[in-house]
């Protein structure tokens, strides 16, 4: 049961019985996804970039997708890549952009990245770290500055990196498994 109602007009309404079909996986809930235990932030970025981290919040190996909060603590080129699949983004804090576009995103801004797009993700100097909630469809194809593919990264790379990080810092690999749906 969620928190009990007080003055809400729906007080007394019963929950739907048998809400989860047999075989369905449970929902996922994570409070305050952009905050919390520092150990949950996985150093990320290929090629490796300092001060860039990803906190996974949902992982789907069968869809080759994941959702995360991407954080850049300093202004930097976060990475450069090509997307064969769609991406959704919501800006939580900081300032960021793609060099290939007109806009500069700050808190509250939404972006949809269409399949077929190459771009260079940069974070700006800002009083708050860049934190962006992304729903990512793998793979990402890493690009050099000429736009040539130099590698790839998908949900299996992501799980490997996160698992190694969590197993090395005491969080444990079971935590990563708890995010898989
Ligand atoms: Fe992207």
């Amino acid at each position: 049961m969620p928190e009990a109602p007080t003055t809400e007009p729906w007080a007394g309404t019963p929950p739907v019985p048998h809400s989860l079909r047999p075989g369905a996986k449970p929902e996922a809930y994570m409070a305050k996804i952009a905050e919390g235990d520092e150990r949950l932030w996985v150093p990320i970025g290929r090629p490796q970039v300092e001060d860039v981290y990803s906190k996974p919040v949902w992982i789907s190996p069968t869809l080759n997708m994941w959702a995360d909060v991407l954080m850049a603590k300093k202004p930097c080129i976060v990475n450069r890549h090509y997307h064969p699949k769609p991406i959704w983004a919501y800006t939580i804090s900081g300032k960021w952009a793609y060099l290939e576009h007109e806009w500069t995103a700050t808190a509250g801004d939404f972006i949809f990245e269409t399949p077929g797009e190459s771009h260079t993700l940069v974070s700006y100097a800002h009083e708050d770290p860049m934190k962006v909630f992304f729903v990512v469809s793998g793979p990402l194809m890493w690009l050099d500055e000429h736009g040539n593919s130099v590698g790839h990264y998908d949900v299996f790379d992501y799980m490997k990196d996160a698992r190694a990080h969590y197993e090395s810092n005491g969080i444990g690999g079971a935590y990563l498994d708890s995010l898989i749906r």
Side-chain angles (χ1 to χ4, degrees):
M1 288 285 287
E3 189 174 305
T6 54
T7 60
E8 289 79 3
W10 50 265
T13 304
V16 171
H18 316 300
S19 70
L20 201 61
R21 298 285 296 274
K25 292 180 177 174
E27 92 291 359
Y29 168 81
M30 186 185 294
K32 307 289 185 289
I33 62 172
E35 303 168 22
D37 193 332
E38 287 283 324
R39 297 175 302 164
L40 295 177
W41 296 90
V42 180
I44 207 91
R46 299 283 177 81
Q48 196 69 41
V49 177
E50 282 186 35
D51 301 310
V52 175
Y53 302 85
S54 168
K55 182 178 176 180
V57 299
W58 167 79
I59 297 172
S60 175
T62 54
L63 294 173
N64 206 327
M65 293 182 70
W66 65 95
D68 72 320
V69 180
L70 186 68
M71 171 169 68
K73 288 187 170 179
K74 295 178 181 175
C76 64
I77 297 175
V78 177
N79 55 46
R80 186 189 293 109
H81 53 264
Y82 169 78
H83 290 293
K85 295 284 191 174
I87 307 281
W88 296 261
Y90 177 77
T91 310
I92 297 167
S93 67
K95 186 189 289 187
W96 67 287
Y98 293 119
L99 297 181
E100 295 76 12
H101 292 305
E102 303 286 306
W103 47 264
T104 305
T106 53
D109 293 0
F110 168 80
I111 292 94
F112 174 68
E113 305 178 13
T114 58
E117 178 172 318
S118 298
H119 49 213
T120 311
L121 200 171
V122 294
S123 58
Y124 286 79
H126 193 278
E127 60 186 356
D128 298 316
M130 182 203 89
K131 290 183 180 179
V132 182
F133 173 68
F134 276 103
V135 179
V136 180
S137 310
L140 282 71
M141 312 303 293
W142 301 131
L143 304 177
D144 65 18
E145 60 187 8
H146 305 293
N148 299 312
S149 178
V150 292
H152 56 78
Y153 194 84
D154 72 2
V155 73
F156 302 102
D157 299 298
Y158 189 61
M159 289 193 295
K160 182 182 176 187
D161 285 350
R163 188 178 301 282
H165 183 65
Y166 293 154
E167 287 180 346
S168 73
N169 69 4
I171 292 290
Y175 175 77
L176 181 74
D177 293 327
S178 76
L179 305 178
I180 295 174
R181 292 291 187 280

